[in-house]
Amino acid sequence: MQIGMIGLGRMGGNMAERLRRGGHEVVGYDANPEVSDVASLKALVEALAAPRVVWVMVPAGEPTRLTLEELGQLMSAGDIVIDGGNSHYVDDRVHAEQLGGKGVGFVDVGVSGGVWGLQNGYALMAGGETEHIQRLMPIFETLKPEGPDGFVHAGDVGAGHFAKMVHNGIEYGMMQAFAEGYELLRASDAVKDVPGIFSSWRTGTVIRSWLLDLMVNALNEDNDLSGIRGVAQDSGEGRWTVQAAVDHAVPLPVITAALFARFASRQDDSPAMKVVAALRNQFGGHAITSAAGEVGKGADSPGADVAPPPEAR
Amino acid sequence: MQIGMIGLGRMGGNMAERLRRGGHEVVGYDANPEVSDVASLKALVEALAAPRVVWVMVPAGEPTRLTLEELGQLMSAGDIVIDGGNSHYVDDRVHAEQLGGKGVGFVDVGVSGGVWGLQNGYALMAGGETEHIQRLMPIFETLKPEGPDGFVHAGDVGAGHFAKMVHNGIEYGMMQAFAEGYELLRASDAVKDVPGIFSSWRTGTVIRSWLLDLMVNALNEDNDLSGIRGVAQDSGEGRWTVQAAVDHAVPLPVITAALFARFASRQDDSPAMKVVAALRNQFGGHAITSAAGEVGKGADSPGADVAPPPEAR
Amino acid sequence: MQIGMIGLGRMGGNMAERLRRGGHEVVGYDANPEVSDVASLKALVEALAAPRVVWVMVPAGEPTRLTLEELGQLMSAGDIVIDGGNSHYVDDRVHAEQLGGKGVGFVDVGVSGGVWGLQNGYALMAGGETEHIQRLMPIFETLKPEGPDGFVHAGDVGAGHFAKMVHNGIEYGMMQAFAEGYELLRASDAVKDVPGIFSSWRTGTVIRSWLLDLMVNALNEDNDLSGIRGVAQDSGEGRWTVQAAVDHAVPLPVITAALFARFASRQDDSPAMKVVAALRNQFGGHAITSAAGEVGKGADSPGADVAPPPEAR
Amino acid sequence: MQIGMIGLGRMGGNMAERLRRGGHEVVGYDANPEVSDVASLKALVEALAAPRVVWVMVPAGEPTRLTLEELGQLMSAGDIVIDGGNSHYVDDRVHAEQLGGKGVGFVDVGVSGGVWGLQNGYALMAGGETEHIQRLMPIFETLKPEGPDGFVHAGDVGAGHFAKMVHNGIEYGMMQAFAEGYELLRASDAVKDVPGIFSSWRTGTVIRSWLLDLMVNALNEDNDLSGIRGVAQDSGEGRWTVQAAVDHAVPLPVITAALFARFASRQDDSPAMKVVAALRNQFGGHAITSAAGEVGKGADSPGADVAPPPEAR
């Protein structure tokens, strides 16, 4: 079928290509004219026959919002807009209402697959009305991996991005679990072959997984990860997962701990731990480390001039 | 080669069978005479030609300790004892020292594979001296899965069980990550097909894994897990992982949270949360739930007879 | 000075009374005509001489929003509105902008003190412009406790409620710390006098505090808290604290754990722990507890018909 | 009454002095002859009239163990030994058994009070047999603070140190709660006076406490704690608390999070977060920070040569 694809970066470009390979007619638009089939969103909409289907694959937040607003003015009743970016599920409801006011359908799709998606297909989680989803099934069938899995009509508008968000939250927890295991292995004097241990787990164990495979790749490239700083960014979805948990009163200790570990990894010094050090100094003359890196007693702390048994307070 | 196998339950029995299929000569002993080749540990040792190899596959703790003690009296210099059970790595060092005093070698092996091991092989993590490991390689080669992975000489005595312990710790974290994701999906009004979402993740996503496959199986059998109570046991290894982390000063927030979630799952009522409820009642006349399940104001709490704006204190 | 007080419940009523005792002229309005000095918000505003000062002390959220909207239409340039309820700091900025468009000043005040406030004074954390704060100092001086502490100009609009929110977040963490200590003491066979232990800590220890005093009160009333269920509500501020932490990329493990413990305390059964139990059953025939409370092997799980050594998988 | 005091450092010396001021006869022994009344443990025991009472106040672990062993050889049936150091409660049972074999009583006492104890008294938590505790009451009465609180017979042998350990665990959680609140306040653009906010909480709030007072002191000395690094040591008791929780299957999320935050504060780089960064790089060409501090794409990671929308994977 015919589809407009907005945003032809790594994700959108490959998806357009996979759709073409699958026999669909794709009209692509991108801010970069070198990869764009048309000169503007307006031209894109005009190039499509009604009822139109347009897939938006641009960065979440402002870019997606502006694109959807403009599409709302260009498209007509009976058309469908798909947001396949990493939008916040809360925004989906707003966008669906705005477009719905003009009779334009809205479907949100969480997309997973990254650089392997072109060849292997993309996992797709869709949210929206059943009627809309059914019209789009030929597209989903082409984009998804072969086999029985890889696509779900997750629920109403927002459910697709919600599912993708939860996927990423689970991913945070799993990555941190591997990370903690690695650190504990490194701390043991008896353990001599950490990369070998991870490799040994690839077959026959409960934790075999694609992340474990990546872990083995990473350790093969750099045995002790000495070339990498322990600094990890986080994407919006990790934060949204925790905020959704708070909104829904769902305890999420593991995923939240994983998110907080990333926050902490980016700090040069921890304001919180300054407080703990300062309090320890206040109540017992415990040694503190000055900002200059020297260890010493606080000069004016009680007991600073005596040598306490370290635990006795 | 020739090997004695002590403990012929689900694990030891299948391992003995896989070894036999691989061409090894196995003499098996079990407390259950119906499955045992010999009548006693003494008979087992006498049935083997020196230098002997004996694999102990009995429950961790007391049973393993007693078995190793008895073997220490029966075996001779040059023999090797393998502890393939789920022993605490701390005990391995004690056992190695005891047996080493008589010239008997000790190797600890963490074994993963469960009921699929007989057919697919067992992941093996071994700790001990290189000379001992090399003598045992024909056995390990037969037990492990085909392919490059599935066996590691993890390090010195104790490293095998340490690695298996960490594997299980990682497993705790990964399981809890899936569990939290499930709960958050269930909490969303928009999400309609939770089992379908998990299925959709099996291909093309970052979190594809054997645990995800099991999760899909479980949801296929019982869509909303209504037949299962949210009560989870923990094995020794989860606890040892956290205690090893504390001993080594390694922060392990995710794995520990997963362990604590299991502890909490087994409580009918939480003593800690009684305190939180009691304190809230003390400082503001907040409603408490009586043990009989009624919600009410504590009769003698300050302000109990007025209706406070819920947040104002 | 003259002030209008809107909301004469436990908090607002007592604050109006403390202001009157301090020599201020208070015109009070409440939806309940029995305690109200005037019949409407309009009548309240008309009863005050310009430039007016009105303190809003109604429940956070919708009631506060509606009250501020109505006041925005009634009041005039040069007037000041104070929101002393437990509003979300994010809302303060919106309200300040709306009122500011008409030249009406806005100050947010976090208030602590509860039922003891009338007699002992209220801790006040104010956010807003210095000029507005200075005009209101006579009121703050009367409301706050005697002595050097108890009032702070915390910062710009929103900073007062932000500070109060953080106060409550800290409170969550402290309460949970006591709660966990209690539970651990209860778990020890050697410990015989838990209430006595808490009492012993009231003097000479690092953790002496008002919460400890309340804890001792609670244990004196009910030695083992057997009359209370371990079920704890949470207020908006605990949730906002965690969400603010996520927004600001600040790791908050303790406060978040305290919030999640409250969420969990309100669950009859944990969907997450159903998953953990189901997965354990999937991979090793571990016993599960059915919803009916029976412990058994899943009939169709692998290995369900054999008796595994509990840890060996 | 007459008592021997072993260990005359900051704690033991001050306790000896408080006992003397209270009318007791104290014979003190210390490795430092300048502060010692007698030349050896033997001389100390000989200087006391039977039945003797000896208070051991030396660092926990090896020094305490050796002292108790030597005392076991010197003392006689009917004597009582008190361990007032910060010993692990697990050791108490061993020591009680060893001394009990000779008819020597053993009492463990957790002591809190630090440098203020000489003047204000020490909070005392005692474990042991009622008969022993009663004989020692004159000593406890003198050491404890005035008033009804400050002493508890917590339970059997070990209960005193267990209670002190839990006290310190609670302390960890409370300190971390304040620390997290501080960090969140610092992260807000609207908040301008963080020290003032802490001061404002000293009266009329739920979190007023000695730790809050110390916090205010610390901020008065160094407004933004710029002179302190965020590095915090931990004492044995924090670790024992978590290990006791694991042993007793008690969930302790807050206290454990506080301990882990201290562990993390002492790391220059986090091995765990290296893994997270490496995994992110593996699956999507996310930027990593090299050990040299440069941010860049991993040269050989998939997709490293394209500019991905940051969240789209």
Side-chain angles (χ1 to χ4, degrees):
Chain A
M1 57 188 280
Q2 193 192 45
I3 183 169
M5 176 70 70
I6 300 173
L8 300 171
R10 183 175 58 160
M11 290 296 288
N14 281 350
M15 291 167 74
E17 174 62 19
R18 187 171 171 94
L19 285 169
R20 284 187 179 119
R21 291 184 191 172
H24 299 282
E25 179 195 346
V26 181
V27 183
Y29 170 73
D30 194 277
N32 175 3
E34 290 185 26
V35 298
S36 199
D37 299 321
V38 290
S40 66
L41 280 187
K42 187 158 180 293
L44 178 88
V45 172
E46 286 170 356
L48 299 172
R52 301 171 191 84
V53 170
V54 172
W55 188 300
V56 179
M57 204 66 196
V58 303
E62 202 68 358
T64 292
R65 192 177 64 74
L66 294 174
T67 303
L68 293 177
E69 268 179 25
E70 194 173 344
L71 283 175
Q73 294 172 346
L74 295 169
M75 295 180 77
S76 316
D79 294 349
I80 299 180
V81 173
I82 303 155
D83 179 5
N86 287 301
S87 296
H88 195 181
Y89 71 95
V90 172
D91 296 337
D92 291 332
R93 300 172 193 173
V94 178
H95 295 149
E97 207 162 307
Q98 288 170 343
L99 291 164
K102 293 198 49 178
V104 177
F106 178 84
V107 169
D108 59 288
V109 181
V111 180
S112 188
V115 289
W116 290 271
L118 172 57
Q119 187 172 337
N120 300 340
Y122 300 88
L124 305 174
M125 297 137 254
E129 294 178 24
T130 300
E131 181 204 335
H132 296 149
I133 300 290
Q134 282 174 341
R135 264 179 61 198
L136 300 172
M137 279 312 295
I139 290 168
F140 296 147
E141 286 290 348
T142 301
L143 285 174
K144 82 184 235 352
E146 285 182 34
D149 304 315
F151 172 81
V152 67
H153 179 193
D156 302 334
V157 163
H161 283 137
F162 195 93
K164 176 71 190 329
M165 175 191 81
V166 171
H167 166 278
N168 284 32
I170 293 171
E171 174 195 317
Y172 273 56
M174 289 173 67
M175 288 169 71
Q176 186 71 19
F178 279 114
E180 292 179 7
Y182 173 84
E183 181 162 337
L184 187 54
L185 287 173
R186 283 279 174 225
S188 162
D189 286 336
V191 170
K192 304 296 185 196
D193 184 5
V194 172
I197 291 171
F198 277 90
S199 292
S200 79
W201 291 338
R202 294 183 72 180
T203 43
T205 74
V206 175
I207 66 175
R208 60 188 189 262
S209 55
W210 193 58
L211 277 169
L212 177 60
D213 295 342
L214 295 183
M215 183 84 194
V216 171
N217 287 353
L219 291 172
N220 284 346
E221 291 171 10
D222 181 358
N223 246 297
D224 57 358
L225 304 180
S226 56
I228 298 177
R229 286 281 300 169
V231 174
Q233 302 304 315
D234 67 283
S235 63
E237 281 131 332
R239 299 189 185 197
W240 296 335
T241 305
V242 173
Q243 290 181 319
V246 171
D247 283 335
H248 290 84
V250 169
L252 230 57
V254 158
I255 292 173
T256 306
L259 179 66
F260 285 169
R262 295 194 183 185
F263 290 170
S265 80
R266 302 199 297 263
Q267 298 184 320
D268 274 337
D269 198 2
S270 159
M273 298 318 290
K274 283 171 179 272
V275 168
V276 173
L279 287 175
R280 277 172 55 83
N281 185 51
Q282 285 290 325
F283 62 61
H286 288 280
I288 58 171
T289 305
S290 76
E294 293 152 15
V295 177
K297 309 283 174 195
D300 49 1
S301 72
D305 54 340
V306 296
E311 309 309 325
R313 57 171 190 268
Chain B
M1 56 188 279
Q2 194 192 45
I3 183 169
M5 177 70 70
I6 301 173
L8 301 170
R10 184 177 56 163
M11 289 296 289
N14 281 350
M15 290 167 72
E17 175 62 19
R18 186 171 171 95
L19 285 169
R20 284 187 179 118
R21 291 184 190 172
H24 299 281
E25 181 195 346
V26 181
V27 183
Y29 170 74
D30 193 276
N32 175 4
E34 291 185 26
V35 298
S36 198
D37 299 322
V38 291
S40 65
L41 280 188
K42 186 157 179 294
L44 178 88
V45 172
E46 286 170 355
L48 299 172
R52 302 172 190 84
V53 171
V54 173
W55 188 300
V56 179
M57 205 68 198
V58 304
E62 201 67 358
T64 291
R65 192 177 64 74
L66 294 174
T67 303
L68 292 178
E69 268 179 25
E70 194 173 344
L71 283 177
Q73 294 171 349
L74 296 168
M75 294 180 78
S76 314
D79 293 349
I80 299 180
V81 174
I82 303 155
D83 179 4
N86 287 300
S87 296
H88 195 180
Y89 71 94
V90 171
D91 295 337
D92 291 331
R93 299 170 195 176
V94 178
H95 295 148
E97 208 162 307
Q98 288 170 342
L99 291 165
K102 293 198 51 178
V104 177
F106 178 83
V107 168
D108 58 290
V109 182
V111 180
S112 188
V115 289
W116 290 270
L118 172 56
Q119 187 174 336
N120 301 340
Y122 300 88
L124 305 173
M125 297 137 254
E129 295 178 22
T130 301
E131 181 205 333
H132 297 148
I133 300 291
Q134 282 174 342
R135 263 179 61 197
L136 300 171
M137 279 312 296
I139 291 168
F140 296 147
E141 286 290 348
T142 301
L143 285 174
K144 79 185 237 354
E146 285 182 35
D149 304 315
F151 172 80
V152 66
H153 179 194
D156 302 334
V157 163
H161 283 136
F162 196 94
K164 177 72 190 331
M165 175 191 82
V166 171
H167 165 277
N168 284 32
I170 294 171
E171 174 194 317
Y172 273 56
M174 289 172 68
M175 288 169 72
Q176 186 70 20
F178 279 113
E180 293 178 6
Y182 174 84
E183 181 163 337
L184 188 54
L185 288 173
R186 282 281 174 224
S188 162
D189 286 336
V191 171
K192 304 296 185 196
D193 184 4
V194 172
I197 290 171
F198 277 89
S199 293
S200 78
W201 291 338
R202 293 181 74 180
T203 43
T205 75
V206 175
I207 65 175
R208 59 189 189 261
S209 55
W210 193 56
L211 278 169
L212 177 61
D213 296 342
L214 294 183
M215 184 84 194
V216 170
N217 287 352
L219 291 172
N220 284 345
E221 292 171 10
D222 181 357
N223 246 297
D224 58 358
L225 304 179
S226 56
I228 297 177
R229 285 282 299 169
V231 173
Q233 301 304 313
D234 68 281
S235 63
E237 282 130 333
R239 299 191 185 195
W240 297 334
T241 305
V242 173
Q243 290 180 322
V246 171
D247 284 335
H248 291 84
V250 169
L252 229 60
V254 157
I255 293 172
T256 306
L259 179 67
F260 285 168
R262 294 194 184 187
F263 289 170
S265 80
R266 303 199 296 264
Q267 298 184 319
D268 275 338
D269 198 1
S270 160
M273 299 318 290
K274 283 171 178 272
V275 168
V276 173
L279 287 175
R280 278 172 55 81
N281 186 50
Q282 285 290 325
F283 62 62
H286 288 280
I288 59 171
T289 306
S290 77
E294 293 154 15
V295 177
K297 311 282 174 197
D300 50 1
S301 72
D305 54 339
V306 295
E311 309 308 327
R313 58 171 190 265
Chain C
M1 55 188 281
Q2 193 191 45
I3 182 169
M5 176 70 70
I6 299 173
L8 301 170
R10 184 177 58 161
M11 290 295 291
N14 280 350
M15 290 168 73
E17 174 64 20
R18 187 170 170 96
L19 285 169
R20 285 189 177 113
R21 290 184 191 171
H24 299 282
E25 180 195 346
V26 182
V27 182
Y29 170 73
D30 195 276
N32 175 4
E34 289 186 27
V35 298
S36 198
D37 299 322
V38 290
S40 66
L41 280 187
K42 185 159 183 292
L44 178 89
V45 172
E46 286 170 355
L48 299 171
R52 301 170 191 85
V53 170
V54 172
W55 189 299
V56 178
M57 205 67 196
V58 304
E62 202 66 358
T64 291
R65 191 178 65 74
L66 294 174
T67 304
L68 292 178
E69 267 179 27
E70 193 173 346
L71 283 176
Q73 294 172 346
L74 296 168
M75 295 180 74
S76 316
D79 293 350
I80 299 180
V81 174
I82 303 156
D83 178 5
N86 286 301
S87 296
H88 195 181
Y89 71 95
V90 172
D91 294 338
D92 291 331
R93 300 172 193 174
V94 178
H95 295 150
E97 207 162 307
Q98 289 170 341
L99 291 165
K102 293 198 51 178
V104 178
F106 178 83
V107 169
D108 59 289
V109 182
V111 180
S112 187
V115 290
W116 290 270
L118 170 58
Q119 188 173 336
N120 301 340
Y122 299 88
L124 305 173
M125 297 137 255
E129 294 177 22
T130 301
E131 180 204 336
H132 297 148
I133 300 290
Q134 282 174 342
R135 264 179 62 199
L136 300 171
M137 280 313 296
I139 290 168
F140 296 146
E141 286 290 348
T142 300
L143 285 174
K144 81 184 233 358
E146 286 182 34
D149 304 316
F151 172 81
V152 65
H153 179 193
D156 303 333
V157 163
H161 283 137
F162 195 94
K164 177 72 190 328
M165 175 191 81
V166 171
H167 166 276
N168 283 33
I170 294 171
E171 175 195 318
Y172 273 55
M174 289 173 67
M175 287 169 73
Q176 186 70 19
F178 279 114
E180 293 179 5
Y182 173 85
E183 181 163 335
L184 187 54
L185 288 172
R186 283 282 174 220
S188 163
D189 286 337
V191 169
K192 304 296 186 194
D193 184 5
V194 172
I197 290 171
F198 277 90
S199 292
S200 79
W201 290 338
R202 294 184 71 181
T203 44
T205 74
V206 174
I207 65 175
R208 59 189 189 261
S209 55
W210 192 56
L211 277 169
L212 176 61
D213 295 343
L214 295 183
M215 183 85 194
V216 171
N217 287 353
L219 291 172
N220 284 346
E221 291 171 11
D222 181 358
N223 246 296
D224 57 359
L225 304 179
S226 56
I228 297 177
R229 286 280 300 167
V231 173
Q233 302 304 315
D234 68 282
S235 62
E237 281 131 333
R239 299 190 186 197
W240 297 333
T241 304
V242 174
Q243 290 180 320
V246 172
D247 284 333
H248 291 83
V250 169
L252 230 59
V254 158
I255 292 172
T256 306
L259 179 66
F260 285 167
R262 294 193 183 188
F263 289 170
S265 79
R266 302 199 297 264
Q267 298 184 320
D268 274 337
D269 198 2
S270 159
M273 298 319 289
K274 283 171 178 274
V275 168
V276 173
L279 287 175
R280 278 171 56 81
N281 185 51
Q282 284 291 325
F283 62 61
H286 287 282
I288 58 170
T289 306
S290 76
E294 292 153 14
V295 177
K297 309 283 172 196
D300 50 0
S301 72
D305 54 340
V306 296
E311 309 308 328
R313 61 172 187 265
Chain D
M1 56 187 282
Q2 193 191 45
I3 183 168
M5 176 70 70
I6 299 173
L8 301 170
R10 184 176 57 161
M11 290 296 289
N14 280 351
M15 291 168 73
E17 174 64 19
R18 186 169 171 97
L19 285 169
R20 285 188 178 115
R21 290 183 192 173
H24 299 282
E25 180 195 347
V26 181
V27 182
Y29 170 72
D30 194 277
N32 174 4
E34 289 185 27
V35 299
S36 197
D37 298 323
V38 290
S40 65
L41 281 187
K42 186 160 182 293
L44 178 89
V45 172
E46 286 170 354
L48 299 170
R52 301 171 191 85
V53 170
V54 172
W55 189 299
V56 179
M57 204 68 195
V58 304
E62 202 66 0
T64 292
R65 193 178 63 75
L66 294 174
T67 303
L68 292 178
E69 267 179 25
E70 194 174 344
L71 283 176
Q73 294 173 346
L74 296 169
M75 295 179 76
S76 315
D79 293 349
I80 299 180
V81 174
I82 303 155
D83 179 4
N86 286 301
S87 296
H88 195 180
Y89 71 95
V90 171
D91 295 337
D92 291 332
R93 300 171 192 173
V94 178
H95 295 150
E97 208 162 304
Q98 288 170 342
L99 291 165
K102 293 196 53 178
V104 178
F106 178 83
V107 168
D108 60 288
V109 182
V111 180
S112 186
V115 290
W116 290 270
L118 171 57
Q119 188 172 337
N120 301 340
Y122 300 88
L124 304 173
M125 298 137 255
E129 295 178 22
T130 301
E131 181 204 335
H132 296 150
I133 299 291
Q134 283 175 341
R135 263 178 63 199
L136 300 171
M137 279 312 296
I139 290 168
F140 296 146
E141 286 289 349
T142 302
L143 284 175
K144 81 184 232 2
E146 285 183 35
D149 304 315
F151 172 82
V152 66
H153 179 191
D156 302 334
V157 163
H161 283 137
F162 195 94
K164 177 70 190 329
M165 175 192 80
V166 172
H167 165 277
N168 283 32
I170 294 171
E171 175 194 316
Y172 273 55
M174 289 172 68
M175 286 169 73
Q176 186 71 19
F178 279 114
E180 293 180 5
Y182 173 83
E183 181 163 335
L184 187 54
L185 288 172
R186 283 282 174 221
S188 162
D189 286 336
V191 169
K192 305 295 188 196
D193 184 5
V194 172
I197 290 171
F198 277 89
S199 292
S200 78
W201 291 338
R202 294 183 71 180
T203 44
T205 74
V206 174
I207 65 174
R208 60 189 189 260
S209 55
W210 193 58
L211 277 169
L212 176 61
D213 295 343
L214 295 183
M215 183 85 194
V216 170
N217 287 352
L219 291 172
N220 284 345
E221 291 171 10
D222 181 358
N223 246 295
D224 56 359
L225 305 179
S226 55
I228 297 178
R229 287 280 300 167
V231 174
Q233 301 304 314
D234 68 282
S235 63
E237 282 131 332
R239 299 190 185 196
W240 298 334
T241 305
V242 174
Q243 290 181 320
V246 171
D247 284 335
H248 291 83
V250 169
L252 230 59
V254 157
I255 292 173
T256 305
L259 180 65
F260 285 167
R262 294 194 183 187
F263 289 170
S265 80
R266 302 199 296 264
Q267 298 184 319
D268 274 337
D269 197 3
S270 160
M273 298 319 289
K274 283 171 179 275
V275 169
V276 173
L279 287 174
R280 279 172 55 82
N281 186 49
Q282 284 290 326
F283 62 59
H286 288 281
I288 59 171
T289 306
S290 77
E294 293 153 15
V295 177
K297 309 283 173 194
D300 50 0
S301 72
D305 54 341
V306 295
E311 309 308 327
R313 60 173 187 267

